[in-house]
Amino acid sequence: MDHFDYIDQQILLQIRKDARKPFSQIAEELKVSNSLVHQRIKKLKQQGVIKNAEFIVNEKQIGYRTKSYVGIRLREARYAEEVVQGLEKIEEIVECNYVSGYYAIFILIYAFDNQHLRKILYEQVHKIDGVAGTDSFICFDTNFKKPISLDAIVSKHAHD
Amino acid sequence: MDHFDYIDQQILLQIRKDARKPFSQIAEELKVSNSLVHQRIKKLKQQGVIKNAEFIVNEKQIGYRTKSYVGIRLREARYAEEVVQGLEKIEEIVECNYVSGYYAIFILIYAFDNQHLRKILYEQVHKIDGVAGTDSFICFDTNFKKPISLDAIVSKHAHD
DNA sequence: CGTGAAATTTTTTGGAT
DNA sequence: ATCCAAAAAATTTCACG
């Protein structure tokens, strides 16, 4: 990524918080033309800095009251790929990562309640061939969730 | 949440994937008027089903190549609140949860690289009063990331 | 690299069915 | 509860500095 200046940063700070904020309004605040905002956003897309825009769904509001991270241990490391394939079919699992440390795979699950979570684990996850066991880290509460800082990437190019 | 019908579901499926997709286009596909789409989205907002729209930032593209989940153990449980306050000040930590199980707190960190991660843990997290220790689950790869299913919430209201 | 203004498209509102 | 159509606003393009 090159040429990430103050304007880019300010635009990005705005649109990652509110993807539907009018470009014209951002332009006004930054005291630049709206075509410039338009061009910069286009550039950020082309560079792959931003992907799509998403409406954020409140999972609790639609009934998913149990959020849980789950660490998965494998019987043998070589089962990893087929286990991931099995996990992908379970719709309550919304994220899946290969990780370092005690677990081979780390997933995020949304379930209606704790019993539903238990059912998903016992009746689906544990039955996938290669899964040795799971440990659940049920989220009692999410204290905060915030976007990553952009400060470290802007100044590096200030002299361009 | 009440009255979540097929139209609501289809709209939600679309806008959570692409928050900037023209409502008029969604309307056309669903063969309803654009004012109806407009009204339904307004309703979904009022109900709290959807929050804001966000442009999704590619963290790798802006230099954050190390993603890691980190479990935090406390010296004593009662330190929880002040530890969270300390964690919130660290800008690389983007999410923080109270969890069940072996750890008290579970966080998500984005760092430039593994050394940067180590530095954040050793020089910042471990120095917060009340933190007994941490275990890192560095993500080698994110296999998938997908939105939660909406099927379970739509049919319940089909007869309204 | 940046702007201003025109052309196009979308959002939003309010009355009608 | 949904639609149509007008009004308001935003996006997008492009010639020019």
Side-chain angles (χ1 to χ4, degrees), chain A residues 82-96:
Chain A
E82 57 182 286
V83 168
V84 169
Q85 280 176 14
L87 294 170
E88 194 155 8
K89 293 189 192 111
I90 303 172
E91 60 185 19
E92 289 88 355
I93 301 177
V94 298
E95 191 185 319
C96 174

Side-chain angles (χ1 to χ4, degrees), chain B residues 11-26:
Chain B
I11 291 172
L12 196 43
L13 285 171
Q14 294 289 337
I15 66 174
R16 75 172 175 181
K17 265 198 311 193
D18 182 4
R20 290 187 67 93
K21 180 165 189 173
F23 300 171
S24 49
Q25 205 174 314
I26 298 172

Side-chain angles (χ1 to χ4, degrees), chain B residues 20 33 35-36 39-40:
Chain B
R20 290 187 67 93
S33 68
S35 28
L36 183 59
Q39 284 172 34
R40 293 300 185 94

Side-chain angles (χ1 to χ4, degrees), chain B residues 29-105:
Chain B
E29 286 171 22
L30 295 177
K31 306 213 188 297
V32 294
S33 68
N34 53 11
S35 28
L36 183 59
V37 174
H38 189 253
Q39 284 172 34
R40 293 300 185 94
I41 289 177
K42 197 174 166 186
K43 188 196 66 176
L44 289 170
K45 270 185 191 156
Q46 281 171 346
Q47 289 179 153
V49 171
I50 50 176
K51 308 176 204 176
N52 55 324
E54 295 176 4
F55 257 104
I56 305 304
V57 172
N58 186 343
E59 292 89 1
K60 278 221 185 85
Q61 191 62 26
I62 57 170
Y64 294 96
R65 283 181 217 93
T66 291
K67 169 184 176 181
S68 182
Y69 287 102
V70 177
I72 299 176
R73 294 185 306 279
L74 300 181
R75 204 163 66 220
E76 291 176 55
R78 63 189 166 85
Y79 285 100
E81 270 190 58
E82 57 183 285
V83 169
V84 169
Q85 279 176 16
L87 293 169
E88 193 155 8
K89 293 189 192 110
I90 302 171
E91 59 185 16
E92 288 88 356
I93 300 178
V94 298
E95 192 185 317
C96 174
N97 309 277
Y98 286 136
V99 289
S100 70
Y102 186 62
Y103 305 105
I105 295 169

